[in-house]
Amino acid sequence: MSSQAFLEAVKARRSYYGISKESVISDDKIVEIVEQAVLHTPSSFNSQSTRVVVLLGDNHDKLWDLTTNTLRAMVAADQFEATEQKMGSFKSGYGTVLFFEDKTVVDGLMASFPSYAHNFPIWSGHASGMHQLVVWTALEKEGFGASLQHYNPLIDEEVKKTWSLPDSWQLIAQMPFGKPTAEPGEKTFQPIEERVKVFK
């Protein structure tokens, strides 16, 4: 694949909030995309600290019911309708990808390389961000729409308990996806000359 084809895929990636429970590829293909992303996306010191959970079917619905119930206890009843609608829009999708970072790996690197210790949590975040972009872009290339959500740390403990996940897995982001039912919003850009400098 040329760099142009790769950049076209990156350019096409958008945040889709209108999604349906219809799938555009098989579940096996979804899992393959995630597995390939996890295998081949880089991480500092080759730490491979990223962990990913794919929720499909009833498990996807359970996540957004869980999130709705968590927020219901925190948002005033007369202000909850908008929140409930937003949770419903995520639940209306086909699945959700959960991104975690394994703190055991990060803590081990901090202990092994004390002179870099303060950087490893930052670099762990970089690794997670790269995984999110790769999965997001790949899902969109297959015809899905997705968005990135952050209801952590509010739902962390319930998520780990519900799916029996290790306590060392720190939830970073949630990516609901499904077949698009509405176009994404307009993308705007700051002047590129203010963001990129070239010195020859």
Side-chain angles (χ1 to χ4, degrees):
M1 178 172 65
S2 68
S3 62
Q4 187 60 36
F6 172 75
L7 290 172
E8 287 299 323
V10 172
K11 285 165 61 176
R13 184 225 48 82
R14 304 294 300 280
S15 292
Y16 283 84
Y17 297 104
I19 53 177
S20 75
K21 288 196 177 299
E22 187 176 350
S23 184
V24 295
I25 55 177
S26 69
D27 290 354
D28 287 346
K29 182 64 176 178
I30 294 169
V31 172
E32 179 188 348
I33 287 170
V34 172
E35 289 178 342
Q36 290 298 306
V38 171
L39 280 173
H40 298 294
T41 301
S43 56
S44 66
F45 285 60
N46 195 31
S47 62
Q48 302 178 53
S49 55
T50 300
R51 305 289 182 263
V52 178
V53 171
V54 180
L55 300 176
L56 302 172
D58 291 343
N59 284 286
H60 160 77
D61 291 347
K62 188 182 297 183
L63 172 75
W64 295 108
D65 287 342
L66 176 161
T67 306
T68 300
N69 291 334
T70 299
L71 295 174
R72 192 188 307 276
M74 306 176 68
V75 178
D78 61 344
Q79 300 174 5
F80 191 67
E81 184 177 354
T83 298
E84 191 168 34
Q85 288 178 355
K86 182 184 286 188
M87 296 305 104
S89 73
F90 302 144
K91 183 179 176 180
S92 70
Y94 185 75
T96 302
V97 182
L98 302 180
F99 296 88
F100 299 80
E101 285 292 299
D102 192 337
K103 291 169 57 180
T104 299
V105 175
V106 178
D107 291 346
L109 288 166
M110 293 172 71
S112 297
F113 302 96
S115 59
Y116 294 109
H118 65 286
N119 281 318
F120 283 113
I122 299 170
W123 293 337
S124 167
H126 296 170
S128 182
M130 287 189 283
H131 282 78
Q132 293 161 34
L133 178 62
V134 171
V135 171
W136 195 347
T137 304
L139 288 175
E140 188 153 324
K141 281 296 291 180
E142 294 291 346
F144 281 120
S147 66
L148 196 65
Q149 306 303 318
H150 301 91
Y151 290 97
N152 44 291
L154 300 177
I155 62 173
D156 290 22
E157 294 309 312
E158 199 63 33
V159 165
K160 284 189 271 193
K161 182 172 71 173
T162 300
W163 286 282
S164 302
L165 302 174
D167 190 55
S168 63
W169 288 23
Q170 180 182 8
L171 184 59
I172 304 296
Q174 307 87 52
M175 185 179 291
F177 64 91
K179 185 175 181 179
T181 59
E183 291 298 312
E186 182 181 357
K187 187 185 286 189
T188 59
F189 302 94
Q190 297 177 12
I192 193 65
E193 60 271 15
E194 295 179 8
R195 301 176 64 196
V196 178
K197 300 295 182 184
V198 179
F199 302 92
K200 294 185 179 180

